[in-house]
Amino acid sequence: MTQNIKTKVLIIGAGTGGYVAGIRCGQLGLDTILVDGGDGLGGTCLNVGCIPSKAIIHAAGKFETVAKAADGGTLGITAAKPAIDLKATVEWKDGIVKKLNGGVAALLKKAKVKVITGWATFSDAKTCTVSTDDGDIRITAEHVILATGSEPVELPFLPFGGDVISSTGALSLPEVPKKLVVVGGGYIGLELGIAYRKLGAEVTVVEMAERILPLYDKALTDPVMKWMERHGVTLHLGARAGGFEKGKLSVTTRDGKPIQIAADKVLVTVGRRPRTKGWGLETMGLAMDGPFVKVDQRCATAMKNVWAVGDLTGEPMLAHKGSAQGEIVAEIIAGHDRVFDPVTIAAVCFTEPEIVSAGLGPDDVKGRDDVIQSVFPLAAIGRALALEAGDDGGFVRVIASKADHRILGVQAVGQHVSELSNSFAQMMEMGAVLEDVAGVIHVHPTMGEAFHEASLRALGHAIHI
């Protein structure tokens, strides 16, 4: 027997966009149902993405530090050769995920949001049936928020299964593979590939483009490239992967030569696509923008009172974008006047070293004579040197308007620079000019001083260079 429920707001997807929308709806007194399709509260980010990958990356960094201490010592510290029990590391990572799952559940409960676990299928724009372990539930809503997220792209000649894994599988391996081949030199593949190299795997990267991390400018990616070269990561750029059979991956190199690469695991990370299949999108009368659901500045779709947030709405496919959209949609439904119109959405790549980019980069302003570009090396920052973060070619770059000194973009590469991303975004969102950053007394000794010095240098009077 099918149970029938009516609600003010129905949210499909419990990822960072969906659960944040749910909490905010509850805070605003809106009767809300959140349908979790089975990924778990927090979605991809919390369960098989941002959080668990950073946990594995952190563990890999700890292992590398001890390995250095065992190999002749580091910072005057010596240690015995380390060993890794990856199964125990994965259990620790799973514990973090479980704790955060529980936290999200508690927040939703506090906000009086009803959570239903099951797969939703829409029969029209405002009605869906959720198949649960206890039977079907038919839900009719005044407002629908679509937050179905995204999924890894699968290559037809390298289907997931067995020793061919996605990023999800890479986060739950029982042991470190001796030979790991990463297909795709974007941020997901390199973050995990570098982590496994630190853990002792022999890592090979196969990338179709002519350089790694093609979404970032070359100056930002060069330090990452140099780290990989120094640590024995094999790179095949301008190359195409083929099938995987009997422990060998077929690859066509840049010059058209066919080769075979031995691999215990093949990690395929060639991108993500919005999750638009299997839940009745075609019944809802929504306009599309390529593979994404088309939305306006209010995150409204072509159907009245149907909203979409997060990866479903297009690039950048970042968790923090989805959260911001979810919060805004909840407030719009509650009658507030809100639009989603950020000045910038900062992006971070947790490679070695880390990369941050906010706003315009040098490729965006190439050939323009109305901008100022200033670069300040981390090697001139005391805190960076004390953290062993000043010798990898890292820097902070500021791009500003020559006429009024308005900051147009900020980028950085180096160890620990991910923690500067919020400062970069905040200054840009507030419409800061170079003088604003220069006028803030930055704490010494911190990595953030590099942002201060880069701004001073753009004004022509850096102190420490």
Side-chain angles (χ1 to χ4, degrees), residues 353-436:
E354 296 173 346
I355 297 173
V356 178
S357 183
L360 300 181
D363 293 341
D364 301 311
V365 298
K366 188 177 292 184
R368 289 175 54 175
D369 59 5
D370 61 339
V371 297
I372 305 167
Q373 292 193 52
S374 169
V375 174
F376 192 86
L378 295 181
I381 296 295
R383 176 66 167 163
L385 294 175
L387 291 171
E388 298 182 280
D391 60 355
D392 56 10
F395 60 84
V396 172
R397 177 205 294 136
V398 177
I399 300 174
S401 166
K402 190 177 291 185
D404 60 6
H405 293 177
R406 186 81 56 197
I407 296 174
L408 304 175
V410 193
Q411 292 83 40
V413 57
Q415 293 181 53
H416 314 293
V417 296
S418 59
E419 297 302 327
L420 303 181
S421 58
N422 295 315
S423 178
F424 296 168
Q426 181 182 39
M427 283 297 184
M428 290 190 63
E429 198 66 39
M430 295 179 70
V433 295
L434 293 170
E435 287 83 356
D436 291 323

Side-chain angles (χ1 to χ4, degrees), residues 23 60 65 123 159 162 177 226 235-236 259 287 368 373-374 381 432:
I23 291 170
T65 298
S123 54
K226 289 174 182 175
L235 290 169
H236 292 282
I259 61 172
R368 289 175 54 175
Q373 292 193 52
S374 169
I381 296 295

Side-chain angles (χ1 to χ4, degrees), residues 189-456:
L190 290 192
E191 285 182 0
L192 292 172
I194 287 172
Y196 274 104
R197 181 69 194 108
K198 289 181 178 181
L199 292 172
E202 294 179 27
V203 176
T204 299
V205 177
V206 178
E207 167 57 44
M208 192 166 60
E210 289 299 321
R211 62 183 185 86
I212 60 170
L213 300 169
L215 294 179
Y216 296 97
D217 67 83
K218 189 174 181 297
L220 287 176
T221 62
D222 275 350
V224 179
M225 186 84 167
K226 289 174 182 175
W227 186 95
M228 295 170 70
E229 290 171 351
R230 286 199 309 271
H231 291 81
V233 176
T234 302
L235 290 169
H236 292 282
L237 301 175
R240 292 178 178 272
F244 180 67
E245 191 175 357
K246 296 180 181 179
K248 298 286 183 69
L249 178 70
S250 297
V251 173
T252 303
T253 64
R254 179 193 283 123
D255 58 8
K257 179 183 177 183
I259 61 172
Q260 299 280 308
I261 302 176
D264 298 304
K265 298 291 180 184
V266 176
L267 170 58
V268 179
T269 56
V270 293
R272 296 184 65 85
R273 62 186 171 207
R275 189 175 285 140
T276 57
K277 307 292 186 184
W279 49 268
L281 172 65
E282 62 279 0
T283 70
M284 302 182 74
L286 307 184
M288 302 297 290
D289 182 10
F292 304 104
V293 171
K294 188 174 183 178
V295 294
D296 63 14
Q297 283 190 314
R298 299 167 69 244
C299 298
T301 70
M303 178 62 69
K304 184 178 180 181
N305 292 342
V306 176
W307 316 83
V309 302
D311 290 357
L312 190 61
T313 66
E315 298 287 356
M317 296 167 74
L318 299 171
H320 41 290
K321 182 196 79 171
S323 296
Q325 289 178 318
E327 186 176 351
I328 284 170
V329 169
E331 294 182 359
I332 291 172
I333 293 172
H336 298 195
D337 185 15
R338 296 293 308 276
V339 294
F340 182 69
D341 186 25
V343 172
T344 187
I345 302 174
V348 176
C349 187
F350 291 87
T351 45
E352 185 67 54
E354 296 173 346
I355 297 173
V356 178
S357 183
L360 300 181
D363 293 341
D364 301 311
V365 298
K366 188 177 292 184
R368 289 175 54 175
D369 59 5
D370 61 339
V371 297
I372 305 167
Q373 292 193 52
S374 169
V375 174
F376 192 86
L378 295 181
I381 296 295
R383 176 66 167 163
L385 294 175
L387 291 171
E388 298 182 280
D391 60 355
D392 56 10
F395 60 84
V396 172
R397 177 205 294 136
V398 177
I399 300 174
S401 166
K402 190 177 291 185
D404 60 6
H405 293 177
R406 186 81 56 197
I407 296 174
L408 304 175
V410 193
Q411 292 83 40
V413 57
Q415 293 181 53
H416 314 293
V417 296
S418 59
E419 297 302 327
L420 303 181
S421 58
N422 295 315
S423 178
F424 296 168
Q426 181 182 39
M427 283 297 184
M428 290 190 63
E429 198 66 39
M430 295 179 70
V433 295
L434 293 170
E435 287 83 356
D436 291 323
V437 182
V440 173
I441 299 175
H442 285 65
V443 174
H444 176 76
T446 63
M447 297 289 285
E449 289 178 276
F451 186 21
H452 182 238
E453 289 279 6
S455 299
L456 287 173

